[in-house]
Amino acid sequence: MNSKYLFLALLLCFSKVISQNIPFGSIDFTEDRLRNDQLLDKTSTNISFSLRPTSQVISEINSDKNSNSKIKIQYLPIILKQQYNTFTSLSRNDGAMIPAKGYQTQFSAGVHASYGSLDIQINPEYVYAANPNFETFPTSENNNIRLAYIHYLNHSDIPVRFGDKSYHYLGWGQSSIKLNSKNFAVGISTENLWWGPGIYNSLIMSNNAPGFLHFTINTRKPIQTFLGSFEGQLINGRLENSGFDNPTEDYIVDDVNYKIAKRQEWRYLSGLSINYQPKWIPGLFIGLNRVFQIYNTDLGKQFTDYFPVITPFQKTNLNNEDAKNRDQLASIFLRWVMKESKSEIYVENGWNDHSSNLLDLFDSPSHSRAILFGLGKIFILSSNKDTYLKFNFEHTQLQQSADRIIRPAGAWYEHGTILHGYTQMGQIIGAGIGSGGNSQILDFSIWNKNKVWGIQCERYAHNLDFYYDTFTDYNHKWVDFNLNAYGYKRYGNIGVQAKLNTSWMSNYQWQLDNNKLNLQIQFALQYHL
């Protein structure tokens, strides 16, 4: 691990700063500002903001075109994030940080270097969490409820608690090595990815989990054609297990251990994201996301085994698909930017299984479906557009549709053969609300040049698939009401972000009248070198 920092130190010693790259997870709302600028007609309207990180686009915009130096070095911001949960393990969309009660911190620093077409970004991350014990699902529940809960433990690698000691993690973080052309990049990366138009959730790919090692071919900026512009990314990656498990007593009912042992091997992931902006409809983006995962030892040797994302969607056009023991998720999405009204709408519709054929898809389009939709609107508060009010609304539904009554599809991010589920190091790669979860978010924020502040309200219903399969009355729903106040301000080279999230949890862990309060305090510093 020390070699990571030795390499970083050598790079820092050999150069001077030319300009600054923006890593994924920056606390200064840079990517959000660029998206807002698009609604304000201050930046290009052919960027979809459905493929993140957007650091390559930002680099194109902010690069020093007059520099004659062959070697260009950009210091990345030093970022220190801290948070404290008073009661439970509240955590979402925070990358390498884990769901944990108590104190937790993340530190990152790095450098971006380029020489000709070679592009290197070294940005490691270190995470520490005190990780004390907290109240979890009780073993005193009746047998039927316990067995239904154990099913979810057996079909996902999502530890309720990451061990019984403090947690330490050091990884490559937002690092990459790529070869760049004018329009494309190819390389190896551990960066977090975000696919789709969602702001708070993404059905297929988000920064809810740590980044994973992957090979990538991606566009660096929209590719212009006579039909319109295209953006895309093709990845092949390696998903790791958490290395943690829940206590043995969580699996025991009437002295019988119902634990199903998970395979201790990594999983191969193949993914594709493509979006298209029609030439004739400015501001409209249409896209497709698709991923497959499979245990390493089950991976075949054919070309389509390594790149299953190019295979047909209907099982009738595939040869013995179920026997290949691989899991598929797919979604289609739309984002429409209306700069005249300074607003946008977007939707992502996903499926966690193949349809048998087109007729099956037509007859039961809601089978195995999840959906996300949202809208945003800017209200100008100053004549120069530098101060404005931003309103966002986003709804995400992972709960199965009524089609499940006669044709269960299984919960999102779970699979009958791949018992780790769609996870990386113990956290879901897609929407952080998890299997069967529903979320509605309202966000009001004020923006100007160097500061942002806002209030966010969320209703979050936990795993309604489990609830409706298990409980016989209406009163046990576990629903959180989250009220989040946040702010950011920059003082010279230092950016400061603070958040206070108050969570009122009704029927915590689906226990009737077990109402709890959690305060999550977050404080982050970002130093621009």
Side-chain angles (χ1 to χ4, degrees):
M1 293 182 182
N2 291 335
S3 61
K4 302 175 185 178
Y5 293 105
L6 176 60
F7 187 25
L8 174 61
L10 289 173
L11 283 173
L12 289 171
C13 292
F14 275 106
S15 60
K16 67 176 184 178
V17 177
I18 302 299
S19 61
Q20 196 167 50
N21 200 15
I22 306 298
F24 195 96
S26 179
I27 70 169
D28 57 8
F29 296 95
T30 297
E31 289 179 318
D32 302 89
R33 284 186 182 277
L34 288 173
R35 185 164 176 159
N36 292 348
D37 284 347
Q38 190 177 57
L39 305 189
L40 293 168
D41 199 20
K42 289 184 176 182
T43 190
S44 173
T45 56
N46 66 351
I47 300 172
S48 69
F49 289 99
S50 297
L51 280 175
R52 298 167 64 187
T54 55
S55 56
Q56 296 294 348
V57 174
I58 295 169
S59 181
E60 288 286 337
I61 296 171
N62 296 334
S63 62
D64 185 354
K65 300 181 182 298
N66 297 320
S67 173
N68 294 321
S69 174
K70 292 183 179 181
I71 300 177
K72 297 182 179 180
I73 302 295
Q74 303 169 336
Y75 296 132
L76 302 178
I78 298 172
I79 300 177
L80 176 65
K81 299 179 181 179
Q82 300 176 90
Q83 74 173 28
Y84 188 89
N85 280 312
T86 60
F87 173 74
T88 190
S89 56
L90 183 64
S91 173
R92 213 185 303 169
N93 294 344
D94 51 12
M97 299 181 86
I98 64 169
K101 178 184 174 181
Y103 178 75
Q104 184 170 189
T105 186
Q106 176 179 309
F107 176 81
S108 65
V111 67
H112 177 274
S114 62
Y115 179 80
S117 60
L118 178 63
D119 186 276
I120 301 175
Q121 180 165 294
I122 306 298
N123 195 15
E125 297 171 341
Y126 171 74
V127 173
Y128 164 80
N131 196 32
N133 199 10
F134 60 94
E135 182 180 331
T136 59
F137 191 79
T139 57
S140 57
E141 271 286 7
N142 70 57
N143 290 356
N144 290 334
I145 293 175
R146 290 284 316 288
L147 290 172
Y149 182 73
I150 290 171
H151 167 84
Y152 284 90
L153 298 182
N154 279 327
H155 289 82
S156 61
D157 179 27
I158 307 175
V160 175
R161 185 179 173 210
F162 281 60
D164 56 4
K165 300 177 181 178
S166 62
Y167 176 87
H168 301 264
Y169 169 74
L170 176 63
W172 285 106
Q174 311 308 309
S175 300
S176 64
I177 301 176
K178 297 179 181 179
L179 291 174
N180 294 330
S181 68
K182 181 179 179 181
N183 296 322
F184 295 94
V186 57
I188 298 173
S189 172
T190 57
E191 294 172 291
N192 279 110
L193 305 175
W194 186 293
W195 289 356
I199 295 176
Y200 310 101
N201 284 301
S202 175
L203 299 183
I204 305 296
M205 194 76 67
S206 77
N207 67 332
N208 186 64
F212 54 88
L213 179 66
H214 60 273
F215 168 80
T216 177
I217 301 176
N218 58 272
T219 54
R220 300 183 67 225
K221 59 182 181 180
I223 308 302
Q224 303 296 327
T225 73
F226 68 96
L227 294 174
S229 63
F230 291 85
E231 297 172 273
Q233 183 171 33
L234 175 68
I235 62 170
N236 294 315
R238 172 177 175 139
L239 301 180
E240 303 287 355
N241 307 330
S242 70
F244 299 101
D245 201 354
N246 297 295
T248 302
E249 56 266 26
D250 287 353
Y251 296 92
I252 296 177
V253 178
D254 286 344
D255 297 325
V256 177
N257 191 335
Y258 287 91
K259 179 179 178 179
I260 301 175
K262 296 180 175 69
R263 295 162 66 169
Q264 298 305 307
E265 59 179 286
W266 61 274
R267 286 154 288 139
Y268 175 82
L269 181 138
S270 174
L272 175 67
S273 181
I274 298 175
N275 68 74
Y276 163 58
Q277 182 188 31
K279 178 180 178 180
W280 306 274
I281 312 177
L284 177 65
F285 302 90
I286 304 169
L288 164 71
N289 297 319
R290 194 183 193 192
V291 294
F292 282 80
Q293 65 163 335
I294 186 172
Y295 284 116
N296 175 49
T297 54
D298 289 337
L299 184 62
K301 303 302 180 183
Q302 302 297 318
F303 180 81
T304 54
D305 293 324
Y306 288 102
F307 297 96
V309 290
I310 65 172
T311 60
F313 279 86
Q314 291 76 44
K315 286 186 178 179
T316 53
N317 297 326
L318 296 168
N319 182 23
N320 205 20
E321 175 64 24
D322 287 337
K324 293 183 178 180
N325 295 329
R326 61 191 184 191
D327 183 24
Q328 175 191 214
L329 294 171
S331 71
I332 55 175
F333 63 85
L334 175 151
R335 177 174 178 248
W336 200 337
V337 176
M338 295 161 282
K339 61 183 182 181
E340 294 82 5
S341 60
K342 302 175 182 60
S343 61
E344 64 173 318
I345 57 173
Y346 55 88
V347 61
E348 183 178 13
N349 195 98
W351 297 268
N352 72 347
D353 194 13
H354 289 81
S355 295
S356 298
N357 49 48
L358 286 175
L359 180 60
D360 180 28
L361 178 62
F362 180 78
D363 285 345
S364 301
S366 65
H367 175 67
S368 76
R369 186 188 70 185
I371 191 165
L372 177 155
F373 68 87
L375 58 92
K377 166 70 176 173
I378 287 178
F379 300 90
I380 301 298
L381 301 179
S382 65
S383 58
N384 59 5
K385 299 184 181 181
D386 284 343
T387 302
Y388 54 87
L389 168 68
K390 177 71 182 296
F391 164 76
N392 285 319
F393 170 78
E394 187 170 292
H395 168 82
T396 307
Q397 180 172 322
L398 299 184
Q399 175 192 357
Q400 293 185 62
S401 70
D403 186 76
R404 67 180 302 209
I405 297 173
I406 57 173
R407 188 186 178 191
W412 261 72
Y413 308 129
E414 295 186 2
H415 191 258
T417 302
I418 301 176
L419 299 185
H420 288 83
Y422 187 56
T423 62
Q424 158 69 355
M425 295 181 63
Q427 299 188 68
I428 290 173
I429 305 170
I433 60 176
S435 299
N438 290 348
S439 167
Q440 297 83 36
I441 294 177
L442 282 170
D443 195 325
F444 298 88
S445 52
I446 302 290
W447 299 69
N448 63 23
K449 184 176 181 181
N450 290 316
K451 61 183 178 181
V452 181
W453 63 271
I455 296 176
Q456 183 184 109
C457 304
E458 179 187 30
R459 176 190 177 271
Y460 169 29
H462 293 253
N463 202 341
L464 291 171
D465 289 343
F466 166 70
Y467 173 77
Y468 286 118
D469 281 343
T470 307
F471 293 91
T472 58
D473 64 85
Y474 186 76
N475 298 321
H476 282 77
K477 284 184 180 179
W478 176 9
V479 180
D480 296 351
F481 175 72
N482 299 322
L483 181 62
N484 178 19
Y486 60 91
Y488 168 82
K489 185 171 176 59
R490 181 161 176 170
Y491 303 89
N493 290 336
I494 298 177
V496 180
Q497 184 190 92
K499 294 182 180 181
L500 175 60
N501 187 17
T502 304
S503 296
W504 173 253
M505 295 170 284
S506 175
N507 301 327
Y508 177 74
Q509 297 290 344
W510 302 278
Q511 303 302 297
L512 185 63
D513 295 329
N514 187 27
N515 303 322
K516 301 295 183 180
L517 177 68
N518 184 78
L519 297 179
Q520 184 187 64
I521 303 166
Q522 295 179 316
F523 184 77
L525 296 173
Q526 179 170 289
Y527 179 65
H528 298 263
L529 296 169

